Structures are given as structure tokens and as C-alpha cells.
Amino acid sequence: AQSVTQPDIHITVSEGASLELRCNYSYGATPYLFWYVQSPGQGLQLLLKYFSGDTLVQGIKGFEAEFKRSQSSFNLRKPSVHWSDAAEYFCAVAISRTGKSTFGDGTTLTVKP
Amino acid sequence: NAGVTQTPKFQVLKTGQSMTLQCAQDMNHNSMYWYRQDPGMGLRLIYYSASEGTTDKGEVPNGYNVSRLNKREFSLRLESAAPSQTSVYFCASRGQGWVNTEAFFGQGTRLTVV
């Protein structure tokens, strides 16, 4: 069965600093990968997705992620974090025709002024 | 465009009570999903419906039932609520492109069972 691991439960960065959130997946074939963001009290919003082609994908709000097949990773990055980026971030993989997704446990981002 | 609408937003139940969480989407999506979110555990799939008229179990279906009433609506029922079902419940839908399309989420229902 597929699985997703987000090794960092909580990350704190200073406003303006760069950010990298880690995601590792386990699946035998090419996965379809997603990053979602959840603000407090809200549902999840898609940041970006990868399913083929260029391994560096751009998303909304200045985020990007790089798919590395050799490392089974799909890390999320942002060059300069804004205070409004404080939220919980989820990596997910979808593999089946039904579109069922497996989510990681999430990484909570705190932004220091 | 409302997207995915869940009702209610908050609910407190006593152990043993029943209730139905409602979900409706206006995007003409085929697939709909119910997840629960617990601290430190991400989202876990309870049930899903790949298309109107079909439903299937996810990772944690015990204690729940679902109904895909029509293409728009997918409800989740707790027949006899237990404190272990205290959680935030999210409904989601996905369109025709199956795995390579994003899921759209509702705002969530925060359920407390006392």
C-alpha cells in the first residue's frame, strides 16, 4: 500500500527566510503528488500538483516543489516566507482510478516576525 | 460558485446519539469523499463514492455509513456516536480527471461526542 511521510511535525522560520518542507512517499509506480495547505478552521486548498513532465512544479502563493524519483521525495519550497504562510501543510499521493488520496500527517509552519 | 458545502459546522452529541453530516458540491464532480482529521494523524479516508450510485469503504469505516443521494450530495451517518468519533470531518469532491485532478474540500464539521 502507498504511504506518505512528512518527517517534520512542526517547523518555525523567520519572516523572509527560505522554507523547505519534506515529503517522502512509498509507491511502486509513478505517483501523483499533491501539496495542500490548511489555514486554521478552514478546509484544505491545493498549492500544487505533479503527475508527469517537468519535475519542478510551480504552485500558488509562490510555492514550488521538486519531484525526485531516486529519493522518493516531493519537497515543498518557498524562497521567502510571509507571515500569512503560517498554516498546516499536507503532502498527498493519489494512485487509483477512484482518485483516493493518502495524506501525510502534516507539518505545522510557524512564522516568526 | 459555492464549491463544497458541509452542514453543520459544529455539533455536540451525547454518546449513543445519531446524526447525519451533509455534503453537497455544485461542480458536477463524479467522486466524493469523507475524511476525518485528528491531531497528528493527517486525514484518514472514511468512505468514498467514485460515482453516483456507488460507495466504498476507506481506511476507517467502522461506526459510519454513507449515502450518495445523487450526484451532488454525499452524506455521512453516525448511528451511535462514540467519544472516539470526536474529530473534524471533511467532505471533498474530485472531477473527471481522477488522479491528476485536485480535490476540493469543504470547510469541515467539528464534532464532539461527550
Side-chain angles (χ1 to χ4, degrees), chain A residues 32 34 36 38 41-46 49 51 88 90 94-106, chain B residues 31 33 35 37 40-43 45 48 50 57 59 90 94 98-108 110:
Chain A
Y32 299 91
F34 304 81
Y36 290 87
Q38 183 182 32
Q42 302 295 312
L44 279 70
Q45 179 187 20
L46 181 73
K49 62 187 178 185
F51 53 92
E88 190 160 18
F90 292 94
I95 59 160
S96 71
R97 188 172 183 81
T98 60
K100 289 195 306 179
S101 298
T102 297
F103 286 80
D105 290 343
Chain B
S31 302
Y33 311 83
Y35 291 90
Q37 184 180 31
M41 300 185 75
L43 278 79
L45 183 65
Y48 68 99
K57 295 178 180 179
E59 301 172 64
F90 287 98
R94 183 183 251 116
W98 57 284
V99 294
N100 63 336
T101 59
E102 67 182 277
F104 290 83
F105 286 82
Q107 297 288 311
R110 188 173 296 274

Side-chain angles (χ1 to χ4, degrees), chain A residues 51-106:
Chain A
F51 53 92
S52 67
D54 193 346
T55 56
L56 183 65
V57 294
Q58 302 297 321
I60 62 171
K61 305 185 181 186
F63 285 92
E64 66 178 27
E66 186 171 13
F67 171 60
K68 292 186 177 179
R69 184 186 301 274
S70 61
Q71 299 177 16
S72 297
S73 69
F74 188 56
N75 294 349
L76 182 71
R77 301 194 294 248
K78 186 169 186 178
S80 178
V81 169
H82 187 263
W83 63 266
S84 61
D85 293 324
E88 190 160 18
Y89 292 80
F90 292 94
C91 182
V93 59
I95 59 160
S96 71
R97 188 172 183 81
T98 60
K100 289 195 306 179
S101 298
T102 297
F103 286 80
D105 290 343

Side-chain angles (χ1 to χ4, degrees), chain B:
Chain B
N1 215 353
V4 179
T5 303
Q6 290 182 235
T7 55
K9 288 187 169 48
F10 301 93
Q11 184 71 49
V12 179
L13 289 178
K14 294 183 179 178
T15 297
Q17 285 186 316
S18 62
M19 80 160 295
T20 300
L21 281 63
Q22 306 287 352
C23 175
Q25 52 91 8
D26 60 4
M27 295 172 284
N28 200 35
H29 284 170
N30 285 338
S31 302
M32 297 185 72
Y33 311 83
W34 276 105
Y35 291 90
R36 60 177 289 173
Q37 184 180 31
D38 302 292
M41 300 185 75
L43 278 79
R44 293 182 292 168
L45 183 65
I46 305 171
Y47 270 93
Y48 68 99
S49 171
S51 61
E52 186 179 355
T54 68
T55 61
D56 285 285
K57 295 178 180 179
E59 301 172 64
V60 288
N62 291 345
Y64 305 96
N65 285 301
V66 291
S67 295
R68 183 74 182 266
L69 303 170
N70 47 55
K71 193 170 186 178
R72 289 187 65 246
E73 298 171 288
F74 188 39
S75 62
L76 178 72
R77 182 159 179 84
L78 287 71
E79 291 291 351
S80 179
S84 60
Q85 295 177 304
T86 294
S87 186
V88 181
Y89 291 84
F90 287 98
C91 178
S93 70
R94 183 183 251 116
Q96 290 280 2
W98 57 284
V99 294
N100 63 336
T101 59
E102 67 182 277
F104 290 83
F105 286 82
Q107 297 288 311
T109 296
R110 188 173 296 274
L111 175 67
T112 303
V113 182
V114 298

